[in-house]
Amino acid sequence: MALLAPVGTIAQPEAATPMYYPDTTLTMNVVKKPLENVLASLGKKTGLDIHYDRNEFNTEKLVSINCKNLPVKEVLAEITDQTGLHFELFKNKIIVSGGNVAPQRDIQKVQGTVKDSTGMPLIGVSVSIKGTTQGTQTDINGQFSLDATAGNVLVFTYIGYVTQEVTVGSGATINVVLKTDSHSLQEVVVTALGITKSAASLSYDQQTVSGKELEVAPDPSFVNSLDGKVSGLQITQSSSGAGGSTKVVLRGNKSIFGSSNVLYVVDGIPLNPLTSSQPNGVFSYGADGGDGISNINPDDIESISVLKGASASALYGSAAANGVILITTKKGKAGKTVVTFNSNTTFDKAVLLPKLQSEYGRGDNGVTNPGSINSYGAAESPGTPNLNPASFFNTGVSAINSFTLSTGTEKNQTYISYGNTHTDGIEPGNVFNRNNITVRNTSKSLNDKLTIDLSANYIFQNTNDRPTSGTYFNPLTSIYLFPRGTDFSPYKNYESLDPVRNIYLPNWITPYTNSGSGGDDPQNPYWIQYKNPTTQGLNRLLATVLAKYDITSWLNIQGRVKVDKADQTSSQELYAGTTELLAGPTGGYNYSSSGQNQVYGDLLLNVNKDLSGDFNINGTLGVSIQDNQNSSLGFGGHLGNIDNYFNVGNVILTSGNPFNQTNKTEAQTQSAFASVDFGYKKYLYLDVTGRNDWASPLAFTNSYSFFYPSVGLSDVLSSMFKMPDFISFSKLRVSYTDVGNSIPAFVSTPAQYTLSSGFLNLALTQPLETLKPEITHSFEIGTEWRFDHDHITFDATYYHTNSYNQLFDVATSTASGGYASQYVNGGNVKNEGFEGSLGYNGNISSDFHWTSNFTFSLNRNKVLALYTDNSSGTPNVITEFTFPNTVNAYQLEAVVGKPFGEIYANDFLRDASGKIVVSGGLPQLINNANQDVDVGNSNPNFMLGWTNSFRFKRFDLAFTIDGRFGGEVVDMTQAYLDAYGTSQASATARDQGGVLVNGTRIDAQTYYSVVGGRSGALAQYAYSATNIRLREASLGYTIPGSAFNNKIQNIRIAFSGRNLFFFYLKAPYDPETTLATDNTLQGIDLFGQPSTRALGFSVSAKF
Amino acid sequence: MSSCTKEFNNLNTNPSKVTKSQATGDLQYIGGFFPDMEENIFSTVDYIYQLQQSLNADVFSGYEMSPDDGFGPNNTNYFMVSGWNAQAFDLGNQHIMNNWAQIRNLARPQDQHFVAMALILKVEGMHRITDLYGPIPYSKYGSNAFFVPYDSQQAVYTRFFAELDTAVTTLTSYVKTYPGAKPFQPFDLIYGGDYKQWLKFANTLRLRLAMRIVYADPATAQLQAEKAVADPNGLLSAVGDDAYLNMVNGLSYQNPLWNITNAYGDISMSAAMKSIIEGYNDPREAAYFLPSAYDGKFEGIRQGQNITTAVYAGFSLLNVQSTTPLEIMAASESYFLRAEGALRGWNMGGGTAQSFYTQGVTLSFQEKGVAMPAGYLADATSTAAPYVDPTNATNNVPAGNPYLNNITIAWNPAATFEQNLQRIITQKWLAIYPDGEEAWCDFRRTGYPKLFPVVVNNSGGAISTTSFVKRIPFAADEDANNPKGVATGVTALGGPDNGGTRLWWDVNPLVP
């Protein structure tokens, strides 16, 4: 910068405002006036002193300014454009410098093409002149053109690519090749708390997925789109339709009593998981209510990073022990206003329906009996109608429509979006509707030192008749068990007017219509859908305020507050005529509402400084507070005198299995933490973190404070040593992390009593004041390599975790004090595994580009110890823990020496020689839950994923194949169908004259009455969960803006499909769906909604 | 940091639950535990009642049978379902023992009358548990440990009598000191807090327990029985003395049997019941059951079948309304107990076996609101009727079958001891319906009334078809949660832990 020598200073004695305010604006209209005059006029209007050296530039250059209320900075930028002069604002001074360049610089047209490293033109690259608001974007051919002067710096920015700056020289053409930034050494990644770090410094495995990759075949819950794309990520969807919960586990299950689900973090702040109650048994009154992550609008997502290990725990706290999915949402961008419109429509078809027989009609023991509920009757005569279960399912239609708008200046950017997801499910009456509104504003002020980021998301969604599992309120039970050889058509009209009661009552086959029929009391499936309707509503507001102030170039302070307020309602209306097992004679009504509020606040001090030539330090010091308040209010019971009037005033709150209750919990965690990276020569990094939590659920225990540290080392070998040319990058990393985890609220609170109908009752779990937080030790070592100019990438990680002091709710003898259980700390669950990926990214020909990524992960899980009870003098080693919500014939257990999540099931009673014991003509079963047999594990041994995307001219094609190997599931649905005789298996058995037991045939109905059903030999219904499928595929075509006279930038049209077909599958249902996403009903199907194949098309337009 | 966390104790106290200090008003912190005890002698919750007794004792007593075709092998055909048979055990511990322990621990010196009440309810609740399983954890209850030892049934009964001694002494003296005082009224769902009624209840309970052990320890049985009768507070003896779980003090419930028989369709009249009550032309049949949907007549189901189809779905349901209060103890029971005592030659307070028998039958009709037919008590010819299963003749029990209850109604002083005992117990069986647990105890103790053996026996040899089921196995969750405790229980039981091992008091040589 030139100094102020013999200067022409335009002083402004009359200036009223001595200080420069960044928002000072100016109105001016001059045409071709000498520069010096214009500057004088500007100084007069703003009260600013303008300093310059007349020798440095041509003060007589003619400039034109026409502006109204434009900030001074922008007016100066305009002058820069016309003169090439630089202006610096300093307090109340403007310092003008022109450098030693020629005073006159002419504006010239600069044009060129932007391509990626593979030679493909990049469309929509933002090209701007540094320090100005001027800019443009590349067109469909990757070309741009704009006016600039020599010496201007052009900035090329494009999502997913490294920003590049090119100084305009004398030439008029500038061609640029942008490098993809996911593989760049200079790559900056968003890590915990939104802190950006150099990728090279990460000592743990972090994998990034761009928003684009999620769009291949969108799912209403975006997290389902991650399947197969990230190594080590195990996704299990609940069989509850659109908007349902998803179980997402990284590197294996760790927590026995708590959750092993990943933590979602949106823009640096943990998202309230909003876990909902899960189906919990054979009868299962409750459907899944969705989870917090399913509420997010996928179109708001810019990118996703997956932190697989526990390394982010120091910054996010305990919940990060299971890994983190970091979601970065879109912001407004400086430059041209961009409007996009995306529309995606998919059609869902039920697949993997059970195979039903059409040979034998209604009856028992081969004899027709119109009063039977079974299908073990005589052989059907030709032409007998048989219900095809597929006829019950509709083609589901899912429409995801979204609109986004991004606009802004260098100082202020705004992003607005609206998204609507509407799904008509495959079960009639199932409708899911979600609306997302997002507004975000990012602005800079105080000389660009202060950044304010405000965002608000409002979500409102409604779900009608969310598919459930179990036998009650589940239309599938009625469809699958409907007697074969019986005409279903009279029951499609599910109700008719009862002249005596003067209300509509269900049409249904006898004897189901008689209450007290025994069996499983299936109702008319349409009656269930339309006259036992459930509705779930959600209103959720997330609001965030962030303020960041740059104290110096290497030190900033940042504060954030986020409020997440979710109100949910759930109601079930049971019309009169509903089976009396489930409702009163005039009907029934269940209603609950709940509020889940989370307030999060933090304050961070960030340092990023080069200490000397070789050393740098990047650190964060912070404090945070998180407060969760949950409350609920619910009531339910049979209706009073008024038929079908669903109101609390008409509910008999003491009838049926009534409930009326309020619940309230609050938990608060206060934390202080520090994270410091020491870098040496930009290739060796040491990362040390520490966090201390003070958690309110630990009140009444010895201490509510606990500390957990981590340490990591990262070494970029390719920068440290000279490597052969074909190795473009190589890195080695190792890290060790401890994570503590508090206990749930109230478990340590001294004895309290529940109130039931106004009477005191004992709480069923004994409070203990000796509890401690859980602790997980994890270690990982990994390496990353890139070859051939980053065209080939490879990474691999080995990890090992041990989780100790796990909290168990252990059943005790009820005689030990009336409690059914007590909490203990104990256990050691080990997970170790290996995961890796191999990728290719390059050109096949100049028009043909191919990206391919192969992921592999293997997890070995073992329960090493549960707990030892020393209360009775001699140590009592407990080696088995049964998860709650076991159902007849099935239980999920943690057993010492076995992997977590072992499935135990009822089986045949066998004699010493292994023969099935037959007594009275019946095969005998064990029928003792304590002696159930181990049929396998609910988790896979290893998983593979392979994603591919091809670009040929304007066509793009992408697909994902993934596979899970190992693990078992049991199918209780099949057991039911066999017991009722509707399954093909039961007909085949009859065709063969019975089922072979010890070499003798036993009559099929006799056999299946014992072996099938809800309490039969479920072990006989165990299947391998191994499956390989074409997860998703899409074919797209981009129409250039030129086809529309450049009125719009482009339009992409695509056809896509999800869950297209299985290359391999042994189980009769989709083993990657689950009844519940908690640790309970894993690896079992019980009339869950079948998996669906989705085919769809999408249109996205960018303006 | 301590100032930031000072609210933690408050935050971590569940506002949806009641703390001790919140319950001090109106003595709720003691008295508040009584309703839960009284509500769980017979559970008011249908699915709990079903496992507590409907699908074991109510069937084993010969009263009822399940028409449900979805159960598979189960208790009713002697496949003892471990998942079902834990319910009664847990209910007793969680709702009887625990509340008693709370009251005992919290009571001040002036609250001893509450402790006395808790003891009466504890003995009433827990004798129903030991009579199902035999040995139970009793004296070592509440150790808060993972190992809780079991007491032998004899030790449990010895404790029962001692506890009743304490209770009766305390309440007698309280009533003398504070005549008319009713501190228990706000917490009592049975007798409105009237301690005089509770003293009658305690005496009748003592008489019941004394008679239970008559074959195992005749001396103690006579001693305790005579003590019960001699107590000046008296026995339950009139309609107004019947113990019902009343809908008072805010209690509102539906009779669990109403849902079990109607909505669940899981319990109906049994074949033995139809045989005996119709053989006597006893009009109480219509008070107890409903005509069947099957043929408009009363139809009962033979016990011990493999029911795989819905053929019995229309058979006679129980005649119970949702508003019918649960009967805890019928006053008429005391007369049948005294009749048996008098038959045994004990001093039952100046009556004869015949006079007590007559009073018992007469009171039972009054209790059920049914007019006793003229000549009912003089009927010297009617005995149990042969049973015909209209859906399956293999279940029939034809005339002359030794399992038909071959006793008449009319008292016959010339009849043998056993004949008159059979007569007393048969009428007692009809009077105390639907208390299947008490009726099953009498059947195991005396062999009366004669019941039909199971058609299908799925016990794998553990239970003899001709000797009938003797107990239910220890709770399955105890096997998992208190294995060492169960081991002490098996030792005390003195036989294998299955349905065929007889309890301590079940030693009548005439019972097979």
Side-chain angles (χ1 to χ4, degrees), chain A residues 38-85:
Chain A
V38 174
L39 290 178
S41 164
L42 189 149
K44 197 169 181 178
K45 284 177 191 255
T46 58
L48 295 166
D49 290 346
I50 302 177
H51 301 255
Y52 56 89
D53 185 344
R54 283 198 184 88
N55 300 326
E56 260 193 31
F57 56 86
N58 179 4
T59 55
E60 296 307 312
K61 175 154 174 77
L62 299 180
V63 291
S64 302
I65 301 283
N66 185 2
C67 63
K68 200 168 181 185
N69 293 331
L70 199 65
V72 173
K73 241 191 148 175
E74 296 200 40
V75 176
L76 294 175
E78 185 64 31
I79 300 172
T80 303
D81 287 344
Q82 297 181 29
T83 62
L85 295 175

Side-chain angles (χ1 to χ4, degrees), chain A residues 364-365 369 371-374 511 514-521 579-582 585 623 627 638 654-657 662-672 694-700 704 744-749 751-764 766 810-822 824 867 869 871-872 874-876 878 888 919-920 922 924-930 1005 1009-1010 1014-1015, chain B residues 1-2 4-20 22-23 28-30 32-33 35-36 39-40 45-47 67-73 79-84 89-91 93-95 98-99 102 106 137 140-148 150 186 189 248-254 258-259 261-266 306 308-311 313-314 317 456-458 460 475-484:
Chain A
D364 293 292
N365 305 313
N369 175 5
S372 174
I373 56 173
N374 294 324
N514 303 339
S515 67
S517 66
D520 297 285
D521 303 271
T579 175
E580 282 190 26
L581 184 67
L582 307 170
V623 291
D627 189 272
H638 294 176
T654 53
S655 60
N657 295 318
T662 59
N663 278 308
K664 204 172 167 214
T665 59
E666 183 168 359
Q668 191 177 92
T669 306
Q670 300 168 7
S671 312
W694 292 263
S696 72
L698 286 166
F700 305 110
Y704 38 60
F746 305 147
V747 305
S748 60
T749 312
Q752 285 186 280
Y753 304 102
T754 52
L755 265 186
S756 151
S757 310
F759 300 136
L760 288 182
N761 257 312
L762 178 78
L764 287 178
Q766 182 174 5
V810 177
T812 55
S813 168
T814 50
S816 75
Y819 299 106
S821 62
Q822 67 170 243
V824 296
Y867 65 98
D869 163 47
S871 58
S872 58
T874 48
N876 187 14
I878 309 290
N888 306 43
S919 166
L922 293 173
Q924 301 294 301
L925 306 186
I926 298 166
N927 276 348
N928 181 342
N930 295 328
Q1005 183 171 14
S1009 73
V1010 174
R1014 64 176 176 240
S1015 48
Chain B
M1 264 297 176
S2 67
C4 301
T5 54
K6 70 173 183 237
E7 278 300 303
F8 275 11
N9 283 6
N10 275 341
L11 288 182
N12 206 34
T13 300
N14 190 342
S16 311
K17 292 188 176 174
V18 182
T19 60
K20 262 173 211 166
Q22 281 162 337
Q28 281 288 343
Y29 77 109
I30 299 177
F33 298 102
D36 191 51
E39 271 183 290
N40 285 287
V45 181
D46 43 28
Y47 57 88
D68 197 305
D69 57 329
F71 285 151
F79 185 93
M80 303 310 267
V81 183
S82 59
W84 292 1
F89 180 87
D90 292 341
L91 191 78
N93 285 321
Q94 291 174 338
H95 296 282
N98 175 62
N99 287 315
Q102 299 289 341
L106 295 166
K140 299 288 190 300
Y141 168 88
S143 60
N144 287 342
F146 286 88
F147 162 56
V148 190
Y150 283 45
L189 308 172
V248 294
N249 288 341
L251 175 68
S252 175
Y253 67 96
Q254 293 179 314
W258 176 73
N259 242 358
T261 191
N262 287 290
Y264 290 11
D266 276 355
N306 281 330
T308 54
T309 65
V311 285
L317 301 180
V456 175
N457 184 334
N458 288 323
D477 54 0
E478 283 286 286
D479 288 340
N481 305 331
N482 186 20
K484 285 160 75 184

Side-chain angles (χ1 to χ4, degrees), chain A residues 794-848:
Chain A
F794 169 76
D795 70 71
T797 305
Y798 165 82
Y799 60 87
H800 183 112
T801 67
N802 285 85
S803 303
Y804 299 98
N805 282 347
Q806 297 219 7
L807 186 74
F808 295 85
D809 183 7
V810 177
T812 55
S813 168
T814 50
S816 75
Y819 299 106
S821 62
Q822 67 170 243
Y823 287 105
V824 296
N825 278 123
N828 178 1
V829 176
K830 180 185 81 171
N831 273 281
E832 66 178 329
F834 174 78
E835 61 200 17
S837 67
L838 182 64
Y840 174 78
N841 178 12
N843 277 345
I844 306 299
S845 74
S846 62
D847 282 338
F848 188 31

Side-chain angles (χ1 to χ4, degrees), chain A residues 137-157:
Chain A
Q137 286 187 317
T138 57
D139 63 12
I140 182 68
N141 300 313
Q143 291 176 346
F144 69 95
S145 121
L146 83 172
D147 293 335
T149 44
N152 279 167
V153 176
L154 298 189
V155 182
F156 297 83
T157 50

Side-chain angles (χ1 to χ4, degrees), chain A residues 703-719:
Chain A
S703 171
Y704 38 60
S705 160
F706 54 103
F707 175 79
Y708 40 102
S710 83
V711 58
L713 197 64
S714 161
D715 186 353
V716 181
L717 301 170
S718 50
S719 301

